[in-house]
Amino acid sequence: MQSLIARMNLRGLVAVALLVPLLAFAEGTIQHLSGTLSVQRDDGSVRLLSEKSQVREGDTISTERDSYAQIKFTDGGQLTLRPNTQIKIQGYAFSEAEPQKDSFVFSLLKGGLRAVTGLVGKRGNRDSYLLRTATATVGIRGTDYNAIDVPPAANAPPPGVYVVVTEGLVTMTSGGTELVANPGQVAFSSNPNVPPQIVPPPPNLPTISPPQGFAGGSQTIGGTTALLTFTSPPGSPGCVD
């Protein structure tokens, strides 16, 4: 009997040991969802996601038409994706005990999002948070902003990347020129080789307006000045559809 109990305990320990690496891969959870959301894993497999589904490094996440999704990350940050949006989580690392190892690198491949930043980028290495787009790379110092990639289209604003700042300061660098934008202003980058500019809010700029019930509102960042840096990567192409 004791031998049987010992074997059962051993199997239980093995099962837990196998489960821990799987849990360690979970970097974010789908907190709210309205519509259809899918993920393509690193191995090429594609599956639909639902509320409480988990996402991890290497995932390419896509919303369909008329769909909104909100992802809550383990560092407390949130991403709200608007319809017809696609992002890729290229790298993520967060451990409360090791801020020097923080990292969050993701790409906005198309569409738009709202980001309310968590602890990554606000402690340890300030350059550990990066958002890559077709025309620039975004780095933060803790803030709340919208990023919209507008492709060429009729009755649309001029194509390029728009960053609408809710909290904090924005510096946008392209074409060898650095631009600073304040809360309420819209920074615009049309091409990595052209200087950015402050533009009036386009009346037809796509919005991030999720259904009622999604977590929202501005985030107070402990009295620290928020900073969003926006720097064009060398050799980046212009905005693509």
Side-chain angles (χ1 to χ4, degrees):
M1 177 62 71
Q2 290 181 345
S3 176
L4 175 60
I5 293 174
R7 288 198 300 270
M8 292 177 64
N9 288 338
L10 179 59
R11 289 172 183 171
L13 290 173
V14 171
V16 171
L18 291 173
L19 180 61
V20 168
L22 294 177
L23 293 177
F25 280 116
E27 277 91 31
T29 303
I30 307 305
Q31 186 169 242
H32 297 288
L33 175 61
S34 174
T36 303
L37 181 69
S38 63
V39 61
Q40 180 174 346
R41 305 290 189 192
D42 262 348
D43 62 5
S45 63
V46 178
R47 54 166 293 191
L48 293 177
L49 298 176
S50 59
E51 289 187 355
K52 299 185 179 179
S53 291
Q54 296 178 332
V55 296
R56 58 181 184 258
E57 184 176 286
D59 284 352
T60 299
I61 304 164
S62 305
T63 56
E64 300 299 323
R65 184 173 179 267
D66 299 326
S67 300
Y68 275 91
Q70 189 172 81
I71 307 169
K72 180 71 173 288
F73 290 88
T74 56
D75 74 327
Q78 294 178 355
L79 292 180
T80 301
L81 310 183
R82 74 178 309 278
N84 296 317
T85 291
Q86 187 174 73
I87 67 169
K88 181 177 177 65
I89 303 174
Q90 295 174 311
Y92 185 91
F94 173 73
S95 172
E96 291 187 16
E98 298 179 296
Q100 70 278 7
K101 294 183 179 180
D102 284 355
S103 177
F104 187 16
V105 180
F106 66 108
S107 294
L108 175 62
L109 304 178
K110 69 174 184 177
L113 58 85
R114 179 191 177 189
V116 178
T117 60
L119 292 178
V120 173
K122 287 156 46 178
R123 59 175 207 160
N125 181 6
R126 288 186 168 186
D127 297 323
S128 57
Y129 178 111
L130 295 173
L131 167 60
R132 294 170 176 163
T133 73
T135 64
T137 297
V138 179
I140 63 96
R141 299 295 183 266
T143 193
D144 182 340
Y145 68 94
N146 291 352
I148 309 288
D149 189 343
V150 177
N155 302 316
V161 174
Y162 295 80
V163 174
V164 183
V165 186
T166 301
E167 289 187 2
L169 300 177
V170 174
T171 66
M172 178 182 286
T173 305
S174 61
T177 302
E178 181 180 84
L179 175 75
V180 177
N182 295 299
Q185 293 184 314
V186 180
F188 173 62
S189 171
S190 62
N191 187 290
N193 300 314
V194 175
Q197 56 185 313
I198 298 293
V199 298
N204 50 350
L205 184 68
T207 60
I208 315 294
S209 304
Q212 188 175 5
F214 276 50
S218 300
Q219 181 180 9
T220 301
I221 310 172
T224 302
T225 300
L227 175 63
L228 172 64
T229 59
F230 201 121
T231 307
S232 294
S236 296
C239 183
V240 294
D241 192 354

